[in-house]
Amino acid sequence: TSYNAVLFYEKGRISARVAYNFRSEYLIQAAGPGTGLPVYTDSYGSVDARLAFKILDNLEVSFDGINLNDEDLVQYAELKERV
Protein backbone atom coordinates (compact mmCIF):
# COMPACT_ATOMS: atom_id res chain seq x y z
CA THR A 1 0.00 0.00 0.00
CA SER A 2 1.19 3.51 -0.68
CA TYR A 3 -0.26 6.91 0.19
CA ASN A 4 0.70 10.36 -1.03
CA ALA A 5 -0.48 13.79 0.14
CA VAL A 6 0.70 16.96 -1.57
CA LEU A 7 0.11 20.64 -0.81
CA PHE A 8 0.82 23.29 -3.46
CA TYR A 9 1.04 27.06 -3.31
CA GLU A 10 1.61 29.42 -6.24
CA LYS A 11 1.30 33.17 -6.33
CA GLY A 12 3.20 35.61 -8.49
CA ARG A 13 6.83 34.56 -8.73
CA ILE A 14 6.75 32.14 -5.75
CA SER A 15 5.76 28.48 -5.78
CA ALA A 16 5.97 25.91 -3.01
CA ARG A 17 5.20 22.22 -2.58
CA VAL A 18 5.21 19.90 0.44
CA ALA A 19 4.57 16.18 0.03
CA TYR A 20 4.24 13.22 2.37
CA ASN A 21 4.77 9.76 0.84
CA PHE A 22 4.15 6.48 2.65
CA ARG A 23 4.86 2.96 1.47
CA SER A 24 4.10 -0.18 3.44
CA GLU A 25 6.49 -3.13 3.70
CA TYR A 26 7.28 -4.85 0.40
CA LEU A 27 9.33 -7.78 -0.95
CA ILE A 28 12.56 -6.91 -2.79
CA GLN A 29 13.96 -10.38 -3.54
CA ALA A 30 12.41 -13.82 -3.08
CA ALA A 31 15.86 -15.27 -2.30
CA GLY A 32 18.56 -12.87 -1.17
CA PRO A 33 22.26 -13.31 -1.97
CA GLY A 34 24.16 -15.66 0.29
CA THR A 35 21.27 -16.61 2.58
CA GLY A 36 18.52 -17.60 0.17
CA LEU A 37 16.07 -15.82 2.48
CA PRO A 38 13.50 -13.32 1.20
CA VAL A 39 14.56 -9.67 1.50
CA TYR A 40 12.02 -6.98 2.45
CA THR A 41 11.96 -3.21 2.78
CA ASP A 42 10.17 -2.08 5.95
CA SER A 43 7.35 0.46 5.73
CA TYR A 44 8.41 4.10 5.73
CA GLY A 45 7.11 7.62 5.20
CA SER A 46 9.03 10.65 4.06
CA VAL A 47 8.42 14.39 3.73
CA ASP A 48 9.74 16.29 0.71
CA ALA A 49 9.51 20.02 -0.04
CA ARG A 50 10.31 22.49 -2.80
CA LEU A 51 10.43 26.28 -2.81
CA ALA A 52 10.96 28.16 -6.08
CA PHE A 53 11.44 31.81 -7.00
CA LYS A 54 11.00 33.03 -10.56
CA ILE A 55 13.68 35.67 -11.08
CA LEU A 56 12.88 36.34 -14.75
CA ASP A 57 10.29 34.82 -17.08
CA ASN A 58 12.85 32.23 -18.20
CA LEU A 59 14.98 31.96 -15.02
CA GLU A 60 13.97 30.23 -11.78
CA VAL A 61 15.87 29.33 -8.61
CA SER A 62 14.60 26.45 -6.50
CA PHE A 63 15.44 24.75 -3.23
CA ASP A 64 14.51 21.09 -2.78
CA GLY A 65 14.53 19.03 0.39
CA ILE A 66 14.13 15.26 0.32
CA ASN A 67 13.35 13.07 3.34
CA LEU A 68 13.15 16.08 5.66
CA ASN A 69 11.90 13.90 8.53
CA ASP A 70 15.13 11.82 8.27
CA GLU A 71 13.26 8.51 7.92
CA ASP A 72 15.55 5.48 7.65
CA LEU A 73 15.13 3.00 4.81
CA VAL A 74 15.38 -0.38 6.52
CA GLN A 75 15.84 -3.66 4.65
CA TYR A 76 15.94 -7.08 6.28
CA ALA A 77 16.08 -10.79 5.47
CA GLU A 78 12.90 -12.71 6.42
CA LEU A 79 12.56 -11.24 9.96
CA LYS A 80 12.80 -7.58 11.09
CA GLU A 81 15.38 -8.67 13.69
CA ARG A 82 17.77 -9.51 10.79
CA VAL A 83 18.48 -5.96 9.61
Side-chain angles (χ1 to χ4, degrees):
T1 307
S2 71
Y3 302 96
N4 303 299
V6 181
L7 296 173
F8 291 96
Y9 174 82
E10 283 192 35
K11 186 170 184 178
R13 297 185 175 272
I14 298 172
S15 66
R17 178 186 65 82
V18 176
Y20 175 74
N21 304 293
F22 173 83
R23 182 151 185 193
S24 60
E25 173 187 77
Y26 60 96
L27 178 68
I28 297 174
Q29 292 179 330
T35 64
L37 298 172
V39 178
Y40 295 90
T41 294
D42 201 5
S43 58
Y44 65 94
S46 66
V47 177
D48 303 331
R50 180 176 198 268
L51 180 61
F53 300 96
K54 187 180 273 189
I55 297 171
L56 301 170
D57 286 339
N58 59 351
L59 180 62
E60 181 177 278
V61 174
S62 65
F63 302 93
D64 294 284
I66 299 172
N67 193 20
L68 295 173
N69 58 331
D70 200 26
E71 183 77 14
D72 290 328
L73 181 64
V74 177
Q75 297 179 340
Y76 58 91
E78 191 174 33
L79 302 171
K80 288 184 181 182
E81 293 78 23
R82 295 181 182 164
V83 176

